[in-house]
């Protein structure tokens, strides 16, 4: 469930929607470039400052993407309809395909699976000629998921009072919470970077997960390994006093979720669709997690979504950079994009090394540079990371848009983490 944009495409879209206006000026090209680089925080700010300098069609197009990025999916769906209604005749097939990819993401994240499947069918049936081979293959694979879920009722989350539940670290330092069904409970990894909640085949039977007749390709972001997965539905689960219904699980072979070198099994992983539905989560260092009945507003707005991946705005020195945020990672690491941006300083300060990185599908070894320390600001706080790994090579089969992945070594420095998917912010106390 990804969408891709390039600068030529964006320029063409905005030029066509300009209704005969001259080619976009300097400010419009800058906004286009921010969208291309997925600099959603800067794009939202700059569009607000310069809204009067661009025409209605261009603003509508950009805002459709901004609303999606900041979890305002219903608003993005409405803007999509306005965009096609007002400017449909001036949109090329390439433009429509890119917007349909965004719409599919909106529908999936709001559990409107049949509409997501219809968007995939539209893309496959009518826009093959304007999609590159990798994007088309990804849509075909995603279509297996959305069509398998088309008849499934939306996930619901019921919070009737302030909820409190314990959490703990497992043998490799990952955050785990308990999920309950009937009189039985199981420990689950709490992982913001898991696009769909995942479960091993043997544990799917234990939790009474109803299997769907589908098999599709999945990959591990950490290792780049690919494997076949299927889908299942848990009709009801409890996180403390919070009731979850119709929870979608990606069901993987047991061996895929087993990391042999460290004898560690990832039996159940609670991912983004469940975590975001909780709206606001407070994680305390003392081993308590709370889910308030009413969320707390904030103007931080430093959290965004790239498809199903959370992205957080961080501060390093005088730079503001975008990072992926991953509660399922024990430590933070910086990507090759960061290495290239600060190469001279890294070569001067860092020590060449290798590191083993693990995830679903196994372990890989990567060359890195290790920095003794790095100061990083997030929200209202500033953290110091120790022994930071900086990747030299790109992650296989992944877009390179972000500067790193932030994990539990940041969370552990504070008494409290606040993760809010309503006002979209991450903060610490």
């Amino acid at each position: 469930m990804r969408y891709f944009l390039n600068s030529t495409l964006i320029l063409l879209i905005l030029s066509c929607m300009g209704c005969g206006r001259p080619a976009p000026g300097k400010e419009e090209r800058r906004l286009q470039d921010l969208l291309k680089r997925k600099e959603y925080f800067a794009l939202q700010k700059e569009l607000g400052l310069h809204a009067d300098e661009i025409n209605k069609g261009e603003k509508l197009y950009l805002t459709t993407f901004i609303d999606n990025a900041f979890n305002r999916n219903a608003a993005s769906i409405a803007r999509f309809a306005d965009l096609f209604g007002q400017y449909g005749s001036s949109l090329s097939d390439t433009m429509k395909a890119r917007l349909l990819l965004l719409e599919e993401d909106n529908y999936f994240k709001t559990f409107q699976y049949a509409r997501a499947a219809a968007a995939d069918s539209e893309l496959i049936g009518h826009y093959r000629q304007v999609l590159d081979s990798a994007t088309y293959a990804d849509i075909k694979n995603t279509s297996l998921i959305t069509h398998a879920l088309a008849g499934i009722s939306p996930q619901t989350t019921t919070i009737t009072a302030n909820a409190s539940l314990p959490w703990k670290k497992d043998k490799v330092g990952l955050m785990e919470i308990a999920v309950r069904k009937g009189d039985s409970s199981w420990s689950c990894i709490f992982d913001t970077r898991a696009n769909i909640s995942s479960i091993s085949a043997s544990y799917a039977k234990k939790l009474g997960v109803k299997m769907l007749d589908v098999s599709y390709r999945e990959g591990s972001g950490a290792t780049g390994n690919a494997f076949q997965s299927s889908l299942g539905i848990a009709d009801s689960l409890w996180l403390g006093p919070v009731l979850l219904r119709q929870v979608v699980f990606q069901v993987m072979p047991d061996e895929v979720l087993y990391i042999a070198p460290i004898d560690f099994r990832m039996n159940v992983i609670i991912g983004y669709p469940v975590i975001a539905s909780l709206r606001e989560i407070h994680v305390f260092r003392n081993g308590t997690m709370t889910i308030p009945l009413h969320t707390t507003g904030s103007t931080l707005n430093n959290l965004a979504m790239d498809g199903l991946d959370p992205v957080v705005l961080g501060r390093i020195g005088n730079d503001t950079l975008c990072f992926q945020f991953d509660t399922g990672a024990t430590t933070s690491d910086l990507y090759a994009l960061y290495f290239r941006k600060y190469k001279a300083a890294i070569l001067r300060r860092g020590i060449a090394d290798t590191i083993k990185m693990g995830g679903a599908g196994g372990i890989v070894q990567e060359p890195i540079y290790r920095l003794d320390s790095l100061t990083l600001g997030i929200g209202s706080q500033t953290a110091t990371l120790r022994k930071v790994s900086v990747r030299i090579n790109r992650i296989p089969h992944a877009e390179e848009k972000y500067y790193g992945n932030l994990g539990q070594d940041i969370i552990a420095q504070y008494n409290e983490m606040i993760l809010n998917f309503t006002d979209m912010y991450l903060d610490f106390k």
Side-chain angles (χ1 to χ4, degrees):
M1 279 157 276
R2 300 187 297 259
Y3 51 86
F4 302 87
L5 289 166
N6 56 57
S7 56
T8 302
L9 169 67
I10 298 169
L11 185 65
L12 177 60
I13 291 172
L14 299 185
S15 296
C16 288
M17 295 194 321
C19 303
R21 291 177 60 207
K26 180 180 179 181
E27 186 57 45
E28 293 171 358
R29 288 195 299 272
R30 193 161 68 87
L31 294 173
Q32 296 159 21
D33 185 60
L34 290 173
L35 179 58
K36 172 194 170 186
R37 293 187 284 112
K38 298 187 178 182
E39 295 278 0
Y40 301 122
F41 306 98
L43 177 60
Q44 179 173 245
K45 178 181 178 180
E46 291 301 311
L47 183 60
L49 291 173
H50 301 281
D52 294 339
E53 300 174 32
I54 61 175
N55 68 45
K56 181 180 177 181
E58 294 163 354
K59 181 179 178 181
L60 182 59
Y61 175 79
L62 292 170
T63 307
T64 303
F65 279 87
I66 290 171
D67 281 339
N68 170 272
F70 290 102
N71 216 28
R72 300 187 290 263
N73 300 107
S76 184
I77 290 170
R79 294 187 195 280
F80 173 91
D82 288 345
L83 192 60
F84 269 68
Q86 297 181 49
Y87 301 98
S89 60
S90 65
L91 299 175
S92 70
D93 282 353
T94 301
M95 304 171 199
K96 292 177 180 177
R98 301 314 189 197
L99 289 164
L100 278 167
L101 280 164
L102 185 71
E103 188 73 341
E104 186 250 29
D105 181 72
N106 282 324
Y107 283 136
F108 191 88
K109 287 192 286 194
T110 52
F111 312 114
Q112 300 180 70
Y113 304 123
R115 291 184 174 183
D120 284 328
S121 293
E122 183 76 5
L123 285 160
I124 293 168
H126 297 96
Y127 297 98
R128 171 67 184 92
Q129 71 281 3
V130 299
L131 298 168
D132 63 71
S133 59
T135 303
Y136 183 73
D138 186 73
I139 295 168
K140 290 276 285 186
N141 192 59
T142 297
S143 180
L144 297 173
I145 299 172
T146 55
H147 279 80
L149 295 173
I152 301 300
S153 300
Q155 175 190 300
T156 62
T157 302
T158 304
I159 306 170
T160 58
N162 293 332
S164 180
L165 55 153
W167 69 272
K168 64 180 182 180
K169 287 190 176 183
D170 57 29
K171 65 180 288 184
V172 298
L174 297 177
M175 184 185 301
E176 290 193 352
I177 58 175
V179 62
R180 189 177 81 254
K181 185 177 177 67
D183 295 330
S184 300
S185 66
W186 298 268
S187 291
C188 309
I189 295 170
F190 184 86
D191 187 356
T192 54
R193 281 289 308 279
N195 291 170
I196 305 177
S197 297
S198 299
I199 192 168
S200 67
S202 61
Y203 268 70
K205 293 179 181 179
K206 292 181 181 182
L207 269 69
V209 172
K210 178 184 176 182
M211 297 299 297
L212 302 182
D213 185 19
V214 63
S215 177
Y216 60 95
R217 187 186 71 257
E218 186 55 273
S220 167
T223 65
N225 294 334
F227 41 84
Q228 289 298 116
S229 293
S230 54
L231 289 174
I233 307 297
D235 59 358
S236 65
L237 295 173
W238 292 86
L239 293 179
V242 177
L243 174 61
L244 302 162
R245 291 192 181 277
Q246 298 298 102
V247 179
V248 175
F249 276 98
Q250 181 171 249
V251 183
M252 301 185 187
D254 286 17
E255 59 270 21
V256 170
L257 292 177
Y258 176 60
I259 304 177
I262 57 174
D263 188 28
F264 178 66
R265 296 184 184 276
M266 298 180 287
N267 297 311
V268 188
I269 302 169
I270 296 298
Y272 166 77
V274 169
I275 294 171
S277 75
L278 301 176
R279 301 179 304 179
E280 181 173 306
I281 303 138
H282 296 244
V283 178
F284 295 89
R285 184 189 289 174
N286 66 4
T288 301
M289 178 183 293
T290 63
I291 302 162
L293 177 61
H294 302 293
T295 62
T296 302
S298 172
T299 57
L300 279 178
N301 197 216
N302 62 345
L303 184 67
M305 297 302 302
D306 177 12
L308 294 165
D309 289 326
V311 178
V312 66
L313 189 66
R315 306 180 302 275
I316 296 180
N318 295 322
D319 287 340
T320 54
L321 307 173
C322 293
F323 300 86
Q324 293 174 314
F325 180 64
D326 188 357
T327 60
T330 55
T331 59
S332 302
D333 67 309
L334 303 174
Y335 293 160
L337 189 63
Y338 186 90
F339 176 74
R340 292 199 300 274
K341 183 177 178 68
Y342 302 105
K343 185 175 180 179
I346 292 169
L347 292 178
R348 185 173 63 251
R349 293 176 48 211
I351 299 173
D353 200 352
T354 60
I355 191 172
K356 291 182 178 180
M357 298 184 177
I363 288 179
V364 294
Q365 185 164 290
E366 287 286 331
I368 63 163
Y369 274 87
R370 196 176 299 280
L371 299 178
D372 184 61
S373 66
L374 182 74
T375 301
L376 173 67
I378 296 179
S380 62
Q381 303 295 332
T382 300
T384 299
L385 299 176
R386 302 292 181 186
K387 306 299 181 185
V388 185
S389 300
V390 184
R391 287 177 179 256
I392 297 173
N393 301 322
R394 295 180 57 167
I395 299 172
H397 316 297
E399 285 189 280
E400 193 175 52
K401 300 291 183 183
Y402 304 110
Y403 288 89
N405 189 56
L406 306 182
Q408 291 191 43
D409 49 352
I410 289 181
I411 300 171
Q413 297 188 37
Y414 300 100
N415 289 323
E416 180 183 0
M417 175 186 78
I418 306 169
L419 184 58
N420 180 295
F421 288 97
T422 302
D423 288 288
M424 296 301 287
Y425 68 89
L426 172 68
D427 203 10
F428 300 93
K429 292 183 179 179

